[in-house]
């Protein structure tokens, strides 16, 4: 039981800690909205990680074998989604900055916490690296005897909690960033930087 708990925590932090496009988008989203929205988005990421941990734990080698032939299409789909998010984020930031400069207030409402959660859940599900990571982890550490369902549940729950704690901390950093950069130029700059980082990461995924 303890081994499953530790393995789940290590697995959850292992996939969550490396900062990629999803983490960048999460921080940027929280910085320009509210902490509650960012926390809900963070839980969406953690739910996707937990679901992949469950699939990898139950499926193991079968999951990896099925997924390998479609890794390239999934990687391209994920990259295209990130490019669309980057373009939308940059365009929205510029539009809001211009509207403020012209004295108008026609800005689209921020996403609701529920919508942010579902959006980040879907974006994370598009990342094929996550399920391959968990499948490889289970294959590399699995014993010859079958793992009990209780231990599988502990592993999945620990992986979810580890991912959730890290993603929520990123959302907290985004909220702090939003409070520090309250000026409209600062928000524009951070949005453009975030969009640029996501674009670079998306291009790297396609090469």
């Amino acid at each position: 039981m303890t081994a499953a708990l530790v393995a789940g925590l290590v697995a959850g932090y292992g996939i969550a800690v490396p900062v990629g496009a999803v983490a960048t988008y999460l921080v940027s989203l929280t910085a320009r909205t509210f902490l509650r929205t960012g926390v809900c988005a963070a839980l969406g990421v953690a739910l996707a990680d937990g679901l992949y941990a469950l699939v990898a734990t139950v499926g193991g080698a079968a999951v990896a074998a099925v997924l390998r032939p479609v890794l390239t299409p999934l990687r391209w789909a994920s990259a295209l989604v990130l490019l669309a998010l980057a373009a939308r984020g940059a365009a929205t930031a510029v539009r809001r900055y211009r509207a403020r400069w012209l004295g108008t207030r026609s800005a689209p409402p921020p996403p609701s916490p529920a919508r942010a959660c579902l959006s980040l859940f879907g974006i994370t599900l598009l990342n094929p690296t996550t399920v391959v990571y968990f499948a490889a982890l289970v294959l590399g550490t699995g014993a010859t005897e079958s793992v009990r369902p209780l231990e599988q549940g502990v592993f999945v729950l620990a992986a979810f909690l580890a991912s959730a704690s890290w993603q929520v901390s990123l959302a907290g950093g985004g909220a702090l960033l939003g409070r520090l950069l309250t000026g409209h130029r600062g928000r524009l700059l951070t949005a453009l930087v975030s969009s640029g980082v996501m674009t670079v990461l998306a291009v790297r995924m396609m090469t």
Side-chain angles (χ1 to χ4, degrees):
M1 189 72 66
T2 303
L5 176 63
V6 174
L9 292 174
V10 172
Y13 283 120
I15 193 62
V17 169
V19 176
V22 175
T24 302
Y25 180 69
L26 172 62
V27 172
S28 174
L29 174 67
T30 312
R32 67 175 184 268
T33 56
F34 307 100
L35 179 59
R36 182 177 61 178
T37 303
V39 170
C40 289
L43 292 178
V45 177
L47 283 173
D49 287 343
L51 178 60
Y52 273 145
L54 175 62
V55 172
T57 303
V58 175
V63 174
V66 170
L67 201 63
R68 283 192 187 101
V70 295
L71 277 179
T72 299
L74 285 177
R75 187 178 294 111
W76 275 83
S78 180
L80 291 176
V81 170
L82 291 176
L83 286 174
L85 286 172
R88 183 169 181 257
T92 300
V94 172
R95 184 168 61 251
R96 288 180 178 177
Y97 180 77
R98 288 179 176 176
R100 181 72 180 184
W101 183 263
L102 295 175
T104 61
R105 296 185 179 181
S106 57
S112 65
R115 182 180 176 185
C117 179
L118 290 176
S119 298
L120 269 295
F121 177 75
I123 293 171
T124 308
L125 284 181
L126 279 174
N127 187 4
T129 307
T130 308
V131 70
V132 173
Y133 166 85
F134 279 113
L137 184 67
V138 171
L139 289 174
T141 59
T144 55
E145 56 183 87
S146 59
V147 182
R148 293 178 298 175
L150 181 58
E151 293 180 345
Q152 290 180 342
V154 170
F155 175 85
V156 172
L157 180 61
F160 166 77
L161 292 177
S163 177
S165 64
W166 180 257
Q167 304 299 341
V168 169
S169 68
L170 288 179
L176 178 62
L177 182 66
R179 290 190 178 93
L180 290 176
L181 300 177
T182 54
H184 297 284
R185 290 184 179 179
R187 290 183 179 273
L188 174 63
L189 178 61
T190 54
L192 293 178
V193 169
S194 173
S195 297
V197 171
M198 284 192 289
T199 300
V200 171
L201 292 172
V203 171
R204 288 181 61 185
M205 291 179 65
M206 293 186 293
T207 57

